[in-house]
């Protein structure tokens, strides 16, 4: 039987554009579904470069204006892989055009923007999903299965870090291609929206809602030359952020992110300590889940490292043979596979825009708390 086609229009063709394009191809090979993903068109502002990308990644056509891409009748799904300041406008236009939408994280630059985006997709009734891809690493899904099965018992602590070191050089400019993350007008925030948003999304998924937070942020380099204006301008992003929080399940959260941890490039780790079991995960070793099971007999009790590569581990039966590891890019393939499965069943594909708005609310509360030096509820109100 001929498969139904889902024709994708991608906007933005750099880091995430490549990760998504790879996923659109691989999903058809490894996760057969009633739907086939067709890389239909890609949009970028530089015609020569976008044509080169289309040829390399098998897109049938190109656009240099994203509004034209969204208006096309031969596009079913709009995939947004552009800097954060463009997400809201592009999502709202795509929703009005009745397209399904995949949007990169963070959903918007702040909760207000994200709320408008959520309203637009819910009003249009279009399928929507945000690319919080770390939920799709097999070892992280295995942690979720252990938690949902009640293996941890009462949870006491949730701890997460996301550490990098690429902005330590004070001569690094801000703004423009490759450096828009340092320009708060474009990014919305620094490590909070960029890195902690990932940690928060995983935490909300694994450990449930957060009630309130207390945070501190720092901007270590206060001024940088702006690539687009050529002028030295104040830096308005948070270079580092640490926060504490309460979860509704009674556990305590501790989160840290920085781009000033010399030696760390992308160290995302989390640990959950429950009454009966603790779990640890590390992006550098992403196919392993570290497990301490208190029910093991005394002399055998200790941390064990589960190599999450067996055929009955999440997603792994679709890949090679037991024991062979997969990597970062596969999390995106899994996310598309889950989107297709959910779409076929007419169910939401998580994290939806609604889920991502919750992450955004925690990020907003964190930034507000750092400013006010007070505990803040995730609804934005000071605690007290
Ligand atoms: N899920 C993840 O793990 C992950 C990782 C990295 C980035 N991201 C998110 O993905 C998004 C893109 O990040 P990136 O690292 O790929 O950025 P990038 O700078 O590598 O790529 C951005 C792309 O958008 C294009 N673009 C900019 N303005 C445009 C316009 N007006 N019209 C069309 N195209 C335009 C650029 O030319 C470029 O191709 C961001 O929201 C970021 O937060 C997510």
């Amino acid at each position: 039987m001929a498969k139904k086609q889902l024709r994708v229009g991608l906007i933005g063709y750099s880091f995430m554009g490549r990760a998504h394009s790879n996923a659109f191809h691989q999903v058809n090979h490894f996760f057969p579904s009633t739907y086939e993903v067709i890389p239909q068109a890609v949009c970028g502002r530089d015609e020569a470069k976008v044509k080169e990308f289309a040829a390399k990644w098998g897109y049938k056509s190109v656009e240099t204006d994203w509004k034209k891409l969204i208006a096309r009748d031969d596009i079913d799904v709009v995939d947004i892989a552009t800097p954060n300041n463009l997400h809201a406008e592009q999502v709202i236009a795509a929703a009005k055009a009745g397209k399904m939408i995949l949007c990169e994280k963070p959903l918007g630059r702040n909760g207000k923007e994200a709320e408008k985006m959520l309203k637009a997709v819910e009003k249009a009734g279009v399928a929507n999903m945000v690319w919080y891809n770390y939920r799709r690493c097999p070892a992280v899904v295995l942690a979720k299965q252990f938690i949902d099965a009640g293996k941890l018992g009462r949870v006491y602590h949730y701890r997460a870090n996301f550490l990098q070191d690429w902005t330590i050089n004070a001569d690094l400019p801000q703004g423009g291609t490759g450096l828009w993350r340092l320009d708060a007008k474009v990014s919305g925030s620094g490590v909070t929206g960029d890195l902690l948003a990932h940690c928060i999304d995983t935490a909300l998924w694994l450990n449930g809602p957060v009630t309130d937070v207390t945070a501190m942020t720092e901007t270590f380099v206060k001024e940088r030359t702006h690539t687009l204006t050529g002028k030295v301008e104040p830096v308005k992003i948070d270079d580092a952020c640490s926060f504490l929080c309460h979860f509704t399940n009674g556990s305590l959260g501790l989160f840290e992110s920085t781009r000033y941890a010399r030696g760390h490039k992308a160290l995302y780790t989390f640990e959950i300590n429950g009454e009966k079991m603790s779990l640890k995960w590390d992006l550098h070793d992403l196919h392993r889940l570290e497990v301490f099971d208190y029910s093991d007999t005394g002399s055998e009790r200790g941390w064990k490292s589960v190599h999450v590569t067996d055929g009955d581990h999440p997603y792994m039966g679709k890949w090679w043979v037991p024991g062979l590891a997969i990597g970062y890019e596969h999390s995106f393939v899994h996310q598309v596979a889950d989107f297709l499965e959910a779409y076929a069943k007419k169910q939401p594909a998580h994290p939806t825009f609604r889920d991502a708005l919750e992450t955004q609310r925690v990020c907003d509360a964190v930034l507000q708390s750092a400013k006010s030096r007070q505990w803040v509820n995730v609804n934005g109100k000071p605690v007290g």
Side-chain angles (χ1 to χ4, degrees):
M1 204 175 77
K3 292 195 175 217
K4 296 179 209 163
Q5 298 194 335
L6 278 192
R7 298 160 299 177
V8 175
L10 166 70
I11 315 176
Y13 57 87
S14 296
F15 177 21
M16 281 303 107
R18 289 193 303 136
H20 298 185
S21 300
N22 176 60
F24 297 145
H25 284 286
Q26 296 303 345
V27 76
N28 295 329
H29 300 134
F30 289 91
F31 292 83
S33 126
T34 44
Y35 287 95
E36 184 186 8
V37 177
I38 307 291
Q40 188 78 359
V42 53
C43 170
R45 292 157 300 171
D46 182 321
E47 191 171 359
K49 282 191 186 156
V50 76
K51 277 189 171 161
E52 191 187 325
F53 183 90
K56 189 186 272 180
W57 289 96
Y59 286 87
K60 293 183 181 171
S61 58
V62 302
E63 294 289 348
T64 51
D65 176 351
W66 60 262
K67 291 184 177 146
K68 286 197 179 143
L69 177 118
I70 286 174
R72 278 172 58 158
D73 290 338
D74 64 344
I75 299 294
D76 306 305
V77 182
V78 172
D79 180 28
I80 297 168
T82 49
N84 306 349
N85 62 320
L86 295 170
H87 294 184
E89 201 185 351
Q90 292 173 342
V91 159
I92 291 165
K96 276 196 185 138
K99 311 292 185 188
M100 293 174 237
I101 306 171
L102 308 178
C103 183
E104 258 307 339
K105 51 57 58 183
L107 185 54
R109 283 172 295 183
N110 52 52
K112 266 200 188 127
E113 233 174 35
E115 270 171 32
K116 284 187 199 150
M117 296 160 81
L118 174 64
K119 225 182 231 171
V121 293
E122 291 192 343
K123 185 172 171 208
V126 293
N128 55 90
M129 186 179 69
V130 180
W131 291 94
Y132 280 112
N133 56 302
Y134 294 113
R135 288 189 186 201
R136 263 61 186 205
C137 293
V140 177
V141 181
L142 187 64
K144 170 79 170 155
Q145 290 176 353
F146 286 0
I147 293 164
D148 288 352
K151 283 178 182 282
L152 276 71
R154 181 174 169 190
V155 176
Y156 298 115
H157 295 286
Y158 190 101
R159 219 169 278 115
N161 284 318
F162 207 138
L163 312 179
Q164 299 185 332
D165 71 354
W166 63 279
T167 63
I168 293 178
N169 180 359
D171 295 332
L172 190 73
Q174 58 171 315
T177 307
L179 294 168
W180 58 263
R181 282 176 173 79
L182 282 76
D183 179 353
K185 289 194 289 302
V186 176
S187 56
S189 68
V191 295
T192 301
D194 195 32
L195 305 178
L196 282 174
H198 276 300
C199 303
I200 294 164
D201 173 74
T202 318
L204 298 180
W205 187 52
L206 294 178
N207 199 38
V210 164
T211 55
D212 54 346
V213 305
T214 184
M216 63 177 175
T217 56
E218 185 55 72
T219 304
F220 293 115
V221 176
K222 311 278 187 216
E223 292 183 327
R224 292 182 187 271
T225 303
H226 199 291
T227 310
L228 303 180
T229 64
K231 291 189 190 138
V232 175
E233 294 183 15
V235 174
K236 301 254 176 80
I237 58 157
D238 42 307
D239 286 336
C241 175
S242 306
F243 75 92
L244 303 173
C245 67
H246 293 104
F247 288 88
T248 52
N249 67 3
S251 61
L252 306 182
L254 171 60
F255 293 74
E256 183 193 10
S257 186
T258 178
R259 294 182 183 136
Y260 288 70
R262 179 63 86 200
H264 291 301
K265 306 300 169 192
L267 185 74
Y268 174 17
T269 58
F270 68 75
E271 177 167 338
I272 313 169
N273 306 125
E275 184 188 359
K276 298 189 267 185
M277 183 179 274
S278 286
L279 301 172
K280 267 199 287 191
W281 181 76
D282 177 345
L283 174 58
H284 287 183
D285 231 351
L286 59 80
H287 51 285
R288 289 187 176 276
L289 184 67
E290 306 290 324
V291 181
F292 182 95
D293 186 349
Y294 187 62
S295 71
D296 286 345
T297 52
S299 58
E300 290 175 14
R301 197 181 290 139
W303 282 96
K304 60 189 171 207
S305 177
V306 180
H307 199 239
V308 188
T309 53
D310 220 334
D312 55 3
H313 282 140
Y315 303 111
M316 293 309 296
K318 303 279 194 208
W319 292 103
W320 312 110
V321 296
L324 300 189
I326 58 169
Y328 172 73
E329 70 272 28
H330 298 83
S331 60
F332 295 91
V333 183
H334 300 159
Q335 187 145 7
V336 182
D338 289 347
F339 178 80
L340 296 182
E341 195 183 327
Y343 184 66
K345 291 182 183 156
K346 300 192 177 1
Q347 287 173 355
H350 297 280
T352 59
F353 278 28
R354 190 164 275 285
D355 299 323
L357 174 61
E358 277 314 299
T359 293
Q360 200 96 46
R361 284 191 174 131
V362 177
C363 289
D364 279 9
V366 162
L367 293 169
Q368 193 184 324
S369 166
K371 214 167 168 185
S372 66
R373 297 184 169 232
Q374 284 187 316
W375 278 88
V376 173
N377 280 317
V378 292
N379 62 13
K381 304 233 161 58
V383 176

